[in-house]
């Protein structure tokens, strides 16, 4: 239970840090290159794998739910106080489908992280230094781009609040939803190992994000 809780706590912290990371990097690279085009190109290269997963998650979930999918952009755009790494045009739909589409990158991202760590633990891939570096890179990319933006979740936050409220009410009424019960998940030894490894590997993007923000934040104040 400790590593299960730690894993999702680290995801929450990573969510808060990732919001500032791309903006801090954009300021840093712009100060070096003095070029908006060069800055966008560098950011696109750095975050392309994670951005592709993020936007394709929106597009795939929308297609599966029968919602129109328009143009998909993988090139970052720099705004005054934030950086948008990519975008996908989604048609108008109801709040439930909007919520599912908006939260798709987090769901897909978490699933990808757990699958990577599951197979790495099952086949004991952590002993290979090259695979270890690759796993760390994938965790960093997906971990920093899997969170939905405010625009993604527009119109769906009310639904999320309602779902959380209902789950809490059912819990106090004694109704337990099996797939939300961490004890049922952690009863499997390999699942416990996945969350243990996962909580350790999430320290990689957390550490990198903290270092980048501590080094580059002073540059933004000048």
């Amino acid at each position: 239970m400790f590593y299960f809780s730690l894993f999702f706590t680290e995801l929450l912290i990573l969510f808060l840090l990732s919001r500032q990371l791309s903006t801090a990097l954009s300021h840093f690279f712009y100060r070096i290159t003095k070029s908006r085009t060069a800055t966008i190109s560098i950011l696109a290269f750095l975050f392309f794998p994670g951005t592709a997963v993020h936007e394709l998650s929106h597009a795939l979930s929308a297609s599966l739910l029968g919602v129109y999918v328009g143009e998909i952009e993988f090139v970052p755009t720099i705004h005054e106080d934030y950086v948008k790494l990519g975008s996908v045009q989604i048609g108008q739909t109801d709040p439930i489908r909007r919520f599912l589409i908006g939260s798709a990158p987090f769901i897909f991202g978490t699933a990808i992280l757990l699958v990577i760590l599951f197979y790495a633990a099952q086949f004991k891939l952590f002993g290979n230094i090259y695979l270890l570096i690759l796993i760390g890179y994938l965790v960093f990319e997906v971990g920093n781009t899997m969170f939905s933006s405010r625009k993604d979740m527009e119109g769906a936050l009310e639904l999320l609040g309602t779902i959380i409220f209902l789950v809490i009410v059912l819990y106090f009424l004694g109704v337990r939803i099996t797939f939300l019960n961490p004890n049922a998940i952690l009863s499997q030894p390999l699942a416990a190992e996945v969350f243990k490894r996962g909580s350790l590997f999430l320290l990689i993007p957390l550490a990198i994000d903290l270092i980048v923000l501590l080094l580059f934040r002073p540059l933004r104040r000048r």
Side-chain angles (χ1 to χ4, degrees), residues 14-30:
L14 188 60
F15 163 73
L16 299 174
L17 294 178
S18 65
R19 292 298 196 209
Q20 305 175 55
L21 179 69
S22 56
T23 302
L25 286 175
S26 69
H27 281 269
F28 173 73
F29 290 126
Y30 184 77

Side-chain angles (χ1 to χ4, degrees), residues 57 99-114 146 148:
S57 297
F99 169 75
L100 294 173
I101 295 168
S103 59
F106 178 77
I107 296 171
F108 276 82
T110 302
I112 289 171
L113 290 179
L114 291 175
M146 63 188 280
S148 301

Side-chain angles (χ1 to χ4, degrees), residues 109-184:
T110 302
I112 289 171
L113 290 179
L114 291 175
V115 167
I116 291 172
L117 296 167
F118 174 83
Y119 281 105
Q122 186 176 40
F123 296 107
K124 299 178 170 40
L125 303 180
F126 297 108
N128 186 310
I129 184 62
Y130 300 107
L131 290 176
L132 194 64
I133 293 172
L134 177 60
I135 293 169
Y137 171 73
L138 292 174
V139 169
F140 172 80
E141 280 287 332
V142 175
N144 273 295
T145 55
M146 63 188 280
F147 301 104
S148 301
S149 66
R150 185 178 300 177
K151 179 68 175 177
D152 291 339
M153 301 304 294
E154 207 171 63
L157 292 177
E158 296 83 356
L159 178 63
L160 176 61
T162 302
I163 293 172
I164 293 174
F165 174 76
L166 289 175
V167 170
I168 293 173
V169 169
L170 289 173
Y171 178 84
F172 283 107
L173 290 175
V175 178
R176 301 293 186 267
I177 303 176
T178 304
F179 69 87
L180 293 179
N181 183 3
N183 290 322

Side-chain angles (χ1 to χ4, degrees), residues 177-197:
I177 303 176
T178 304
F179 69 87
L180 293 179
N181 183 3
N183 290 322
I185 299 172
L186 296 175
S187 62
Q188 304 297 322
L190 189 57
E193 181 67 12
V194 166
F195 282 104
K196 180 179 179 180
R197 295 284 186 176

Side-chain angles (χ1 to χ4, degrees), residues 204-220:
I204 296 172
L206 285 173
I208 294 174
D209 288 7
L210 280 172
I211 291 170
V212 169
L213 292 173
L214 288 173
L215 289 177
F216 298 159
R217 180 167 289 181
L219 294 174
R220 297 176 58 191

Side-chain angles (χ1 to χ4, degrees), residues 29-149:
F29 290 126
Y30 184 77
R31 290 180 67 89
I32 291 177
T33 63
K34 306 297 183 185
S35 168
R36 191 181 185 91
T37 302
T39 299
I40 290 174
S41 298
I42 294 171
L43 290 175
F45 175 77
L46 285 177
F47 291 105
F48 178 77
T51 301
V53 171
H54 183 108
E55 303 307 337
L56 290 175
S57 297
H58 285 311
L60 178 60
S61 60
S63 297
L64 292 175
L65 293 170
V67 179
Y68 169 79
V69 178
E71 185 178 356
I72 302 176
E73 291 280 351
F74 298 120
V75 179
T77 54
I78 301 176
H79 300 268
E80 188 172 334
D81 57 348
Y82 70 99
V83 176
K84 189 175 183 180
L85 294 174
S87 63
V88 56
Q89 295 178 348
I90 301 295
Q92 293 292 325
T93 185
D94 57 85
I96 294 177
R97 285 188 288 181
R98 180 66 189 174
F99 169 75
L100 294 173
I101 295 168
S103 59
F106 178 77
I107 296 171
F108 276 82
T110 302
I112 289 171
L113 290 179
L114 291 175
V115 167
I116 291 172
L117 296 167
F118 174 83
Y119 281 105
Q122 186 176 40
F123 296 107
K124 299 178 170 40
L125 303 180
F126 297 108
N128 186 310
I129 184 62
Y130 300 107
L131 290 176
L132 194 64
I133 293 172
L134 177 60
I135 293 169
Y137 171 73
L138 292 174
V139 169
F140 172 80
E141 280 287 332
V142 175
N144 273 295
T145 55
M146 63 188 280
F147 301 104
S148 301
S149 66

